[in-house]
């Protein structure tokens, strides 16, 4: 009976040591992968360079790679759309201003810069200071109050 308890205790000790070793190995793998993901999120590492050979967490690794590929695809699509819209906005002969709720100009296309800029950039300036035309400022105020797009045609 005493020998049986010694064998049982030794077996339990071996199992506990084996499980501890597996736990520590898995923990090191997860920590390494977490560091790699953090580096990729900060732009220090490409998502394509994330490790793929991490034992015991292949499913997580594959899921992160699929997510990164989907993100890269969406980012490329958005960048292409942004470039296309920027090209259209730059080629418009009508002045276009995008103004925030505080009345500060966030974006002005080249035509608006030419009309209202007087050699200065319009971004960051207030609508009233940039436009210096009472009808246009009044149109912006109506837009702000109504919460709807307002259009007005003014010859300058």
């Amino acid at each position: 009976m005493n020998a049986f308890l010694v064998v049982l205790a030794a077996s339990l000790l071996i199992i506990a040591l084996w499980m501890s070793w597996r736990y520590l190995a898995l923990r090191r793998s997860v920590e390494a992968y977490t560091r790699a993901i953090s580096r990729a999120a900060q732009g220090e590492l490409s998502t394509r360079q994330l490790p793929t050979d991490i034992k015991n967490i292949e499913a997580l690794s594959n899921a992160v790679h699929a997510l990164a590929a989907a993100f890269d695809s969406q980012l490329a699509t958005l960048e292409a759309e942004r470039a296309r819209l920027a090209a259209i906005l730059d080629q418009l002969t009508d002045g276009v201003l995008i103004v925030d709720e505080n009345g500060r100009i966030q974006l002005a296309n080249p035509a608006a810069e030419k009309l209202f800029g007087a050699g200065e950039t319009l971004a960051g300036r207030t609508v009233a200071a940039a436009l210096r035309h009472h009808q246009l400022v009044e149109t912006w105020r109506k837009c702000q109050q109504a919460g709807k797009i307002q259009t007005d045609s003014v010859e300058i």
Side-chain angles (χ1 to χ4, degrees), residues 25-41 45-68:
L26 179 61
R27 185 172 175 174
R28 281 191 299 271
S29 295
V30 170
E31 287 172 356
Y33 199 68
T34 302
R35 282 191 303 274
I37 290 173
S38 295
R39 287 182 58 209
L45 183 69
S46 168
T47 55
R48 299 194 194 303
Q49 295 174 318
L50 289 175
T52 57
D53 60 345
I54 298 174
K55 295 177 182 173
N56 302 318
I57 55 171
E58 290 89 5
L60 175 61
S61 179
N62 291 336
V64 169
H65 276 278
L67 183 63

Side-chain angles (χ1 to χ4, degrees), residues 101-119:
E101 66 275 357
N102 298 322
R104 295 247 175 234
I105 297 172
Q106 298 298 310
L107 183 121
N109 72 338
E113 293 280 353
K114 192 182 269 187
L115 283 171
F116 305 114

Side-chain angles (χ1 to χ4, degrees), residues 13-134:
L13 180 64
I14 290 171
I15 290 171
L17 287 173
W18 180 78
M19 289 179 69
S20 297
W21 175 77
R22 297 287 294 161
Y23 169 77
L24 291 174
L26 179 61
R27 185 172 175 174
R28 281 191 299 271
S29 295
V30 170
E31 287 172 356
Y33 199 68
T34 302
R35 282 191 303 274
I37 290 173
S38 295
R39 287 182 58 209
Q42 294 170 356
E44 298 173 9
L45 183 69
S46 168
T47 55
R48 299 194 194 303
Q49 295 174 318
L50 289 175
T52 57
D53 60 345
I54 298 174
K55 295 177 182 173
N56 302 318
I57 55 171
E58 290 89 5
L60 175 61
S61 179
N62 291 336
V64 169
H65 276 278
L67 183 63
F71 176 74
D72 289 344
S73 174
Q74 288 176 346
L75 186 62
T77 301
L78 288 173
E79 181 58 31
E81 185 69 17
R82 187 209 59 77
R84 191 179 75 152
L85 291 174
I88 291 169
L89 191 60
D90 286 347
Q91 297 303 315
L92 281 175
T93 57
D94 294 334
V96 176
L97 297 174
I98 297 178
V99 181
D100 68 11
E101 66 275 357
N102 298 322
R104 295 247 175 234
I105 297 172
Q106 298 298 310
L107 183 121
N109 72 338
E113 293 280 353
K114 192 182 269 187
L115 283 171
F116 305 114
E120 298 176 26
T121 184
L122 295 176
R125 294 172 60 195
T126 64
V127 171
L131 299 182
R132 294 181 303 244
H133 195 285
H134 69 282

